[in-house]
Coordinates of all heavy atoms in Angstrom, one line a residue:
M375 N -1.6 2.6 -4.6 CA -0.4 1.8 -4.3 C -0.9 0.4 -4.0 O -1.9 0.3 -3.2 CB 0.4 2.3 -3.2 CG 1.5 1.4 -2.8 SD 2.4 2.0 -1.3 CE 3.2 3.4 -1.9
L376 N -0.3 -0.6 -4.5 CA -0.6 -2.0 -4.2 C 0.6 -2.6 -3.4 O 1.8 -2.4 -3.8 CB -0.7 -2.8 -5.5 CG -1.8 -2.4 -6.4 CD1 -1.8 -3.2 -7.7 CD2 -3.2 -2.5 -5.8
V377 N 0.3 -3.3 -2.3 CA 1.3 -3.9 -1.5 C 0.9 -5.4 -1.3 O -0.1 -5.7 -0.7 CB 1.5 -3.3 -0.1 CG1 2.7 -3.9 0.6 CG2 1.7 -1.8 -0.3
D378 N 1.7 -6.3 -1.9 CA 1.4 -7.7 -1.8 C 2.7 -8.5 -2.1 O 3.5 -8.1 -3.0 CB 0.4 -8.1 -2.9 CG -0.3 -9.4 -2.6 OD1 0.4 -10.4 -2.2 OD2 -1.5 -9.6 -2.8
D379 N 2.9 -9.6 -1.4 CA 4.1 -10.4 -1.6 C 4.0 -11.3 -2.7 O 4.9 -12.0 -3.1 CB 4.5 -11.1 -0.3 CG 3.4 -12.0 0.2 OD1 2.2 -11.7 0.1 OD2 3.8 -13.1 0.7
D380 N 2.8 -11.4 -3.3 CA 2.5 -12.3 -4.5 C 2.7 -11.5 -5.8 O 1.8 -10.7 -6.1 CB 1.1 -12.9 -4.4 CG 0.8 -13.9 -5.4 OD1 1.3 -13.7 -6.6 OD2 0.1 -14.9 -5.1
I381 N 3.8 -11.8 -6.5 CA 4.1 -11.0 -7.7 C 3.0 -11.2 -8.7 O 2.7 -10.2 -9.4 CB 5.4 -11.5 -8.3 CG1 6.6 -11.3 -7.3 CG2 5.7 -10.8 -9.6 CD1 6.9 -9.9 -7.0
D382 N 2.4 -12.3 -8.9 CA 1.4 -12.6 -9.9 C 0.1 -11.7 -9.6 O -0.5 -11.1 -10.5 CB 1.0 -14.0 -9.9 CG 2.1 -14.9 -10.4 OD1 2.9 -14.4 -11.3 OD2 2.2 -16.1 -10.0
L383 N -0.3 -11.6 -8.3 CA -1.4 -10.8 -8.0 C -1.1 -9.3 -8.2 O -2.0 -8.6 -8.7 CB -1.9 -11.0 -6.5 CG -2.6 -12.3 -6.3 CD1 -2.9 -12.5 -4.8 CD2 -3.9 -12.4 -7.1
L384 N 0.1 -8.9 -7.8 CA 0.5 -7.5 -8.1 C 0.4 -7.2 -9.6 O -0.1 -6.1 -10.0 CB 1.9 -7.2 -7.6 CG 2.2 -6.9 -6.2 CD1 3.7 -6.7 -5.9 CD2 1.4 -5.7 -5.7
S385 N 0.8 -8.1 -10.4 CA 0.8 -7.9 -11.8 C -0.6 -7.8 -12.3 O -1.0 -6.9 -13.1 CB 1.5 -9.0 -12.5 OG 1.5 -8.8 -13.9
L386 N -1.5 -8.7 -11.9 CA -2.9 -8.8 -12.3 C -3.6 -7.5 -11.9 O -4.2 -6.8 -12.7 CB -3.6 -10.0 -11.7 CG -5.1 -10.1 -12.0 CD1 -5.4 -10.2 -13.4 CD2 -5.7 -11.2 -11.2
Y387 N -3.6 -7.2 -10.6 CA -4.3 -6.0 -10.1 C -3.7 -4.7 -10.7 O -4.5 -3.8 -11.1 CB -4.2 -5.9 -8.6 CG -4.8 -7.0 -7.8 CD1 -4.3 -7.4 -6.6 CD2 -5.9 -7.7 -8.3 CE1 -4.9 -8.5 -5.9 CE2 -6.5 -8.8 -7.6 CZ -6.0 -9.2 -6.4 OH -6.5 -10.2 -5.7
G388 N -2.4 -4.6 -10.8 CA -1.8 -3.5 -11.5 C -2.3 -3.3 -12.9 O -2.6 -2.2 -13.3
S389 N -2.3 -4.4 -13.7 CA -2.8 -4.3 -15.1 C -4.2 -3.8 -15.2 O -4.5 -3.0 -16.0 CB -2.6 -5.6 -15.7 OG -1.3 -6.0 -15.8
L390 N -5.0 -4.4 -14.3 CA -6.5 -4.0 -14.3 C -6.6 -2.5 -14.0 O -7.4 -1.8 -14.6 CB -7.3 -4.8 -13.3 CG -7.4 -6.3 -13.7 CD1 -8.0 -7.1 -12.6 CD2 -8.2 -6.5 -15.0
L391 N -5.9 -2.0 -13.0 CA -6.0 -0.6 -12.6 C -5.4 0.3 -13.6 O -6.0 1.4 -13.9 CB -5.4 -0.4 -11.2 CG -6.1 -1.0 -10.1 CD1 -5.2 -1.0 -8.8 CD2 -7.4 -0.4 -9.8
V392 N -4.3 0.0 -14.2 CA -3.7 0.8 -15.3 C -4.7 0.9 -16.5 O -4.9 1.9 -17.0 CB -2.4 0.2 -15.7 CG1 -1.9 0.9 -17.0 CG2 -1.4 0.5 -14.6
E393 N -5.3 -0.3 -16.9 CA -6.3 -0.2 -18.0 C -7.5 0.6 -17.6 O -8.1 1.2 -18.5 CB -6.8 -1.7 -18.2 CG -5.8 -2.5 -19.0 CD -6.3 -3.9 -19.2 OE1 -7.5 -4.1 -19.3 OE2 -5.4 -4.8 -19.4
A394 N -7.8 0.8 -16.4 CA -8.9 1.6 -15.9 C -8.5 3.1 -15.8 O -9.3 3.9 -15.5 CB -9.5 1.1 -14.6
G395 N -7.2 3.4 -16.1 CA -6.8 4.8 -16.1 C -6.1 5.2 -14.9 O -5.8 6.4 -14.7
Y396 N -5.8 4.3 -13.9 CA -5.1 4.7 -12.7 C -3.6 4.6 -12.8 O -3.1 3.8 -13.6 CB -5.5 3.8 -11.6 CG -7.0 4.0 -11.2 CD1 -7.9 3.2 -11.7 CD2 -7.4 5.0 -10.3 CE1 -9.3 3.3 -11.4 CE2 -8.7 5.2 -10.0 CZ -9.6 4.3 -10.5 OH -11.0 4.5 -10.2
K397 N -2.9 5.5 -12.1 CA -1.4 5.4 -12.0 C -1.2 4.5 -10.8 O -1.7 4.7 -9.7 CB -0.8 6.8 -11.7 CG 0.7 6.7 -11.5 CD 1.2 8.1 -11.2 CE 2.7 7.9 -10.9 NZ 3.2 9.2 -10.3
V398 N -0.4 3.4 -11.0 CA -0.2 2.4 -10.0 C 1.3 2.3 -9.7 O 2.1 2.2 -10.5 CB -0.7 1.0 -10.5 CG1 -0.4 -0.1 -9.5 CG2 -2.2 1.1 -10.9
T399 N 1.6 2.3 -8.4 CA 2.9 1.9 -7.9 C 2.7 0.6 -7.0 O 1.6 0.4 -6.5 CB 3.5 3.0 -7.0 OG1 2.6 3.3 -5.9 CG2 3.8 4.2 -7.8
S400 N 3.7 -0.2 -6.9 CA 3.5 -1.4 -6.2 C 4.8 -1.8 -5.4 O 5.9 -1.3 -5.7 CB 3.1 -2.6 -7.1 OG 4.1 -2.8 -8.1
A401 N 4.6 -2.5 -4.3 CA 5.7 -3.0 -3.5 C 5.4 -4.4 -3.0 O 4.2 -4.8 -2.9 CB 5.8 -2.1 -2.3
T402 N 6.4 -5.2 -2.8 CA 6.3 -6.6 -2.4 C 6.5 -6.8 -0.9 O 6.3 -7.9 -0.4 CB 7.2 -7.5 -3.2 OG1 8.6 -7.1 -3.0 CG2 6.9 -7.5 -4.7
N403 N 6.8 -5.7 -0.2 CA 7.0 -5.8 1.2 C 6.8 -4.5 1.9 O 6.7 -3.4 1.2 CB 8.4 -6.4 1.6 CG 9.5 -5.5 1.1 OD1 9.6 -4.4 1.4 ND2 10.3 -6.1 0.2
A404 N 6.7 -4.5 3.2 CA 6.4 -3.3 4.0 C 7.4 -2.2 3.8 O 7.1 -1.0 3.7 CB 6.1 -3.6 5.4
Q405 N 8.7 -2.6 3.9 CA 9.8 -1.6 3.8 C 9.8 -0.9 2.5 O 9.9 0.3 2.4 CB 11.2 -2.3 4.0 CG 11.4 -2.9 5.3 CD 10.7 -4.3 5.5 OE1 10.2 -4.9 4.6 NE2 10.5 -4.7 6.8
D406 N 9.6 -1.6 1.4 CA 9.5 -0.9 0.1 C 8.3 0.0 0.0 O 8.3 1.1 -0.6 CB 9.4 -2.0 -1.1 CG 10.8 -2.7 -1.3 OD1 11.8 -2.2 -0.7 OD2 10.8 -3.7 -1.9
A407 N 7.2 -0.5 0.5 CA 5.9 0.4 0.5 C 6.2 1.7 1.3 O 5.8 2.7 0.8 CB 4.8 -0.4 1.1
L408 N 6.8 1.6 2.4 CA 7.1 2.8 3.2 C 8.0 3.8 2.4 O 7.8 5.0 2.5 CB 7.6 2.5 4.6 CG 6.6 1.8 5.5 CD1 7.4 1.3 6.7 CD2 5.5 2.7 5.8
S409 N 9.0 3.2 1.7 CA 9.9 4.0 0.9 C 9.1 4.7 -0.2 O 9.4 5.9 -0.5 CB 11.0 3.2 0.3 OG 11.8 2.7 1.3
L410 N 8.2 4.0 -0.8 CA 7.4 4.6 -1.9 C 6.5 5.7 -1.5 O 6.1 6.6 -2.3 CB 6.6 3.5 -2.6 CG 7.4 2.6 -3.6 CD1 6.5 1.4 -4.0 CD2 8.0 3.3 -4.7
L411 N 6.0 5.6 -0.3 CA 5.1 6.6 0.2 C 5.6 8.0 0.1 O 4.9 9.0 -0.3 CB 4.8 6.4 1.7 CG 3.8 5.3 2.1 CD1 3.6 5.2 3.6 CD2 2.5 5.5 1.4
D412 N 6.9 8.2 0.3 CA 7.5 9.6 0.2 C 7.5 10.1 -1.2 O 7.6 11.3 -1.4 CB 8.9 9.6 0.8 CG 8.9 9.3 2.3 OD1 7.9 9.7 3.0 OD2 9.9 8.8 2.8
H413 N 7.6 9.2 -2.2 CA 7.7 9.6 -3.6 C 6.4 9.5 -4.4 O 6.3 10.3 -5.3 CB 8.7 8.6 -4.3 CG 10.1 8.6 -3.6 ND1 10.9 9.7 -3.5 CD2 10.7 7.6 -2.9 CE1 12.0 9.4 -2.9 NE2 11.9 8.2 -2.4
S414 N 5.5 8.6 -4.0 CA 4.3 8.5 -4.8 C 3.1 9.2 -4.3 O 2.2 9.5 -5.1 CB 4.0 7.0 -5.0 OG 3.7 6.4 -3.8
H415 N 3.0 9.4 -3.0 CA 1.8 10.1 -2.4 C 0.5 9.5 -2.9 O -0.3 10.2 -3.5 CB 1.9 11.6 -2.6 CG 3.2 12.2 -2.2 ND1 3.4 12.5 -0.8 CD2 4.3 12.7 -2.8 CE1 4.6 13.0 -0.7 NE2 5.1 13.1 -1.9
P416 N 0.3 8.2 -2.7 CA -0.9 7.6 -3.2 C -2.2 8.1 -2.6 O -2.2 8.5 -1.4 CB -0.7 6.1 -2.9 CG 0.1 6.1 -1.7 CD 1.1 7.3 -1.9
E417 N -3.3 8.1 -3.4 CA -4.6 8.4 -2.8 C -5.3 7.2 -2.2 O -6.2 7.4 -1.4 CB -5.4 9.0 -3.9 CG -4.9 10.4 -4.4 CD -5.8 11.0 -5.5 OE1 -7.0 10.7 -5.5 OE2 -5.3 11.8 -6.3
L418 N -4.9 6.0 -2.6 CA -5.4 4.8 -2.2 C -4.3 3.8 -2.0 O -3.5 3.7 -2.9 CB -6.5 4.3 -3.2 CG -7.1 2.9 -2.8 CD1 -8.0 3.0 -1.6 CD2 -7.9 2.4 -4.0
I419 N -4.4 3.0 -0.9 CA -3.4 2.0 -0.7 C -4.1 0.6 -0.4 O -4.9 0.6 0.5 CB -2.4 2.3 0.5 CG1 -1.8 3.6 0.3 CG2 -1.4 1.2 0.7 CD1 -1.0 4.1 1.5
L420 N -3.8 -0.4 -1.3 CA -4.4 -1.7 -1.1 C -3.3 -2.6 -0.6 O -2.3 -2.8 -1.2 CB -5.0 -2.2 -2.4 CG -6.1 -1.4 -3.1 CD1 -6.4 -1.9 -4.4 CD2 -7.3 -1.3 -2.2
I421 N -3.5 -3.2 0.6 CA -2.5 -4.0 1.3 C -3.0 -5.4 1.5 O -4.1 -5.6 2.1 CB -2.1 -3.4 2.6 CG1 -1.7 -1.9 2.5 CG2 -1.0 -4.1 3.2 CD1 -1.6 -1.2 3.8
D422 N -2.1 -6.4 1.1 CA -2.4 -7.8 1.5 C -2.3 -7.9 3.0 O -1.3 -7.5 3.6 CB -1.4 -8.7 0.8 CG -1.5 -10.1 1.0 OD1 -2.6 -10.5 1.6 OD2 -0.6 -10.9 0.7
V423 N -3.3 -8.6 3.6 CA -3.2 -8.8 5.1 C -2.2 -9.8 5.5 O -1.5 -9.6 6.5 CB -4.6 -9.2 5.6 CG1 -4.6 -9.5 7.0 CG2 -5.6 -8.1 5.4
Y424 N -2.0 -10.8 4.7 CA -1.1 -11.9 5.0 C 0.2 -11.8 4.3 O 0.4 -12.4 3.2 CB -1.8 -13.3 4.7 CG -3.1 -13.4 5.5 CD1 -4.3 -13.3 4.8 CD2 -3.1 -13.6 6.8 CE1 -5.5 -13.5 5.4 CE2 -4.3 -13.8 7.5 CZ -5.5 -13.7 6.8 OH -6.7 -13.8 7.5
M425 N 1.1 -11.1 4.9 CA 2.5 -11.0 4.3 C 3.5 -11.3 5.4 O 3.3 -11.1 6.6 CB 2.8 -9.5 3.9 CG 2.0 -9.1 2.7 SD 2.5 -7.5 2.0 CE 2.3 -6.4 3.4
P426 N 4.6 -11.9 5.0 CA 5.6 -12.3 6.0 C 6.3 -11.0 6.5 O 6.4 -10.0 5.8 CB 6.6 -13.2 5.2 CG 6.4 -12.8 3.8 CD 5.0 -12.4 3.7
G427 N 6.8 -11.1 7.7 CA 7.6 -10.0 8.3 C 6.7 -8.9 8.9 O 6.7 -8.8 10.1
C428 N 6.0 -8.2 8.1 CA 5.1 -7.2 8.6 C 3.8 -7.4 7.9 O 3.7 -7.1 6.7 CB 5.7 -5.8 8.3 SG 4.6 -4.4 8.8
N429 N 2.7 -7.8 8.5 CA 1.5 -8.1 7.8 C 0.7 -6.8 7.5 O 1.1 -5.7 7.9 CB 0.6 -9.0 8.6 CG 0.0 -8.4 9.9 OD1 -0.5 -7.3 9.9 ND2 0.0 -9.2 11.0
G430 N -0.3 -6.9 6.7 CA -1.0 -5.7 6.2 C -1.6 -4.8 7.3 O -1.7 -3.6 7.2
I431 N -2.1 -5.5 8.4 CA -2.6 -4.7 9.5 C -1.6 -3.8 10.2 O -1.7 -2.7 10.4 CB -3.3 -5.6 10.6 CG1 -4.4 -6.5 9.9 CG2 -3.8 -4.8 11.8 CD1 -5.6 -5.7 9.4
E432 N -0.4 -4.5 10.4 CA 0.7 -3.7 11.0 C 1.2 -2.6 10.1 O 1.4 -1.5 10.6 CB 1.9 -4.7 11.3 CG 1.6 -5.7 12.3 CD 2.6 -6.8 12.4 OE1 3.3 -7.1 11.3 OE2 2.7 -7.5 13.4
L433 N 1.3 -2.9 8.8 CA 1.7 -1.9 7.9 C 0.7 -0.7 7.8 O 1.1 0.5 7.8 CB 1.8 -2.4 6.4 CG 2.2 -1.5 5.3 CD1 3.5 -0.7 5.7 CD2 2.4 -2.2 4.0
G434 N -0.6 -1.0 7.9 CA -1.6 0.0 7.9 C -1.5 0.9 9.1 O -1.6 2.2 9.0
K435 N -1.1 0.3 10.3 CA -0.9 1.1 11.5 C 0.3 2.0 11.4 O 0.3 3.2 11.8 CB -0.8 0.2 12.7 CG -2.1 -0.5 13.1 CD -1.9 -1.4 14.2 CE -3.2 -2.1 14.6 NZ -3.0 -3.0 15.8
I436 N 1.3 1.5 10.7 CA 2.5 2.3 10.5 C 2.3 3.5 9.6 O 2.7 4.6 9.8 CB 3.7 1.5 10.0 CG1 4.1 0.5 11.1 CG2 4.9 2.3 9.6 CD1 5.0 -0.6 10.5
I437 N 1.5 3.2 8.5 CA 1.2 4.3 7.5 C 0.4 5.3 8.2 O 0.6 6.5 7.9 CB 0.5 3.7 6.3 CG1 1.5 2.8 5.5 CG2 -0.1 4.7 5.4 CD1 0.9 2.0 4.4
R438 N -0.6 5.0 9.0 CA -1.4 6.0 9.7 C -0.7 6.9 10.6 O -1.2 7.9 11.0 CB -2.6 5.3 10.4 CG -3.6 4.7 9.4 CD -4.8 4.2 10.1 NE -5.4 5.2 11.0 CZ -6.1 4.9 12.1 NH1 -6.3 3.6 12.3 NH2 -6.6 5.8 12.9
Q439 N 0.5 6.5 11.0 CA 1.4 7.3 11.9 C 1.9 8.5 11.1 O 2.3 9.5 11.7 CB 2.5 6.5 12.5 CG 2.0 5.6 13.5 CD 3.1 4.7 14.1 OE1 4.2 4.9 13.8 NE2 2.7 3.7 14.9
H440 N 2.0 8.4 9.7 CA 2.4 9.5 8.9 C 1.3 10.5 8.9 O 0.1 10.2 8.5 CB 2.7 9.0 7.5 CG 3.9 8.2 7.3 ND1 5.0 8.7 6.7 CD2 4.2 6.9 7.7 CE1 6.0 7.7 6.8 NE2 5.5 6.7 7.4
E441 N 1.6 11.7 9.2 CA 0.5 12.8 9.3 C -0.3 12.9 8.0 O -1.5 13.1 8.1 CB 1.2 14.1 9.7 CG 0.2 15.2 9.9 CD 0.9 16.5 10.4 OE1 1.8 16.4 11.2 OE2 0.5 17.6 9.9
E442 N 0.4 12.8 6.9 CA -0.3 13.0 5.6 C -1.3 11.9 5.4 O -2.3 12.2 4.7 CB 0.8 12.9 4.5 CG 0.2 13.0 3.1 CD 1.3 13.0 2.0 OE1 2.5 12.9 2.4 OE2 0.9 12.9 0.9
F443 N -1.2 10.7 5.9 CA -2.1 9.7 5.7 C -3.0 9.4 6.8 O -3.8 8.5 6.8 CB -1.3 8.4 5.3 CG -0.5 8.6 4.1 CD1 0.9 8.7 4.2 CD2 -1.0 8.7 2.8 CE1 1.7 8.9 3.1 CE2 -0.3 8.9 1.7 CZ 1.1 9.0 1.9
A444 N -2.9 10.1 7.9 CA -3.8 10.0 9.1 C -5.2 10.5 8.8 O -5.4 11.5 8.0 CB -3.2 10.7 10.3
I445 N -6.2 9.8 9.3 CA -7.6 10.2 9.1 C -8.0 10.9 10.4 O -7.9 10.3 11.5 CB -8.5 9.0 8.8 CG1 -8.0 8.4 7.5 CG2 -10.0 9.5 8.7 CD1 -8.7 7.1 7.2
N446 N -8.5 12.1 10.4 CA -9.0 12.8 11.6 C -7.9 12.8 12.7 O -8.2 12.4 13.8 CB -10.3 12.2 12.1 CG -11.4 12.3 11.1 OD1 -11.5 13.2 10.4 ND2 -12.2 11.2 11.1
G447 N -6.7 13.1 12.3 CA -5.6 13.2 13.3 C -5.2 11.8 13.8 O -4.7 11.7 14.9
G448 N -5.4 10.8 13.0 CA -5.0 9.5 13.3 C -6.1 8.6 13.9 O -5.9 7.5 14.2
Q449 N -7.3 9.2 14.0 CA -8.4 8.4 14.6 C -9.5 8.2 13.5 O -9.7 9.0 12.7 CB -9.1 9.3 15.7 CG -8.2 9.7 16.8 CD -7.7 8.5 17.6 OE1 -8.4 7.6 17.9 NE2 -6.4 8.4 17.8
I450 N -10.0 7.0 13.5 CA -11.1 6.7 12.5 C -12.4 6.9 13.2 O -12.6 6.6 14.3 CB -11.0 5.2 12.0 CG1 -9.7 5.1 11.1 CG2 -12.2 4.8 11.2 CD1 -9.5 3.8 10.5

């Protein structure tokens, strides 16, 4: 999953990953990313750190609260 508020970067990174054989979902904001988590169950999430509203660090913390995506029970 790619999360970035820059549409051009989402398109570029998505194209490169699809060409490499990956299935890619993308979101332009934190709310859309959280909605996609329930449907896409990504193995890897790449998040832009500098996004308006909810930055990448905050989004990462929210995602780690989901049991499925927590590492070692939420601890790194």
Side-chain angles (χ1 to χ4, degrees):
M375 176 186 291
L376 301 173
V377 185
D378 196 321
D379 60 322
D380 186 323
I381 301 293
D382 294 329
L383 286 177
L384 276 180
S385 178
L386 174 65
Y387 298 150
S389 295
L390 292 171
L391 291 169
V392 167
E393 285 179 24
Y396 293 95
K397 177 182 173 194
V398 177
T399 57
S400 59
T402 57
N403 59 62
Q405 293 79 15
D406 291 346
L408 292 171
S409 294
L410 284 173
L411 282 178
D412 293 332
H413 304 292
S414 64
H415 304 285
E417 292 183 27
L418 175 68
I419 304 170
L420 301 175
I421 307 171
D422 179 13
V423 173
Y424 302 106
M425 293 189 301
C428 179
N429 69 44
I431 302 297
E432 293 166 337
L433 178 56
K435 289 178 181 179
I436 293 168
I437 291 171
R438 286 189 50 211
Q439 291 175 6
H440 288 253
E441 185 176 319
E442 179 180 352
F443 301 107
I445 301 170
N446 298 324
Q449 303 296 314
I450 291 183

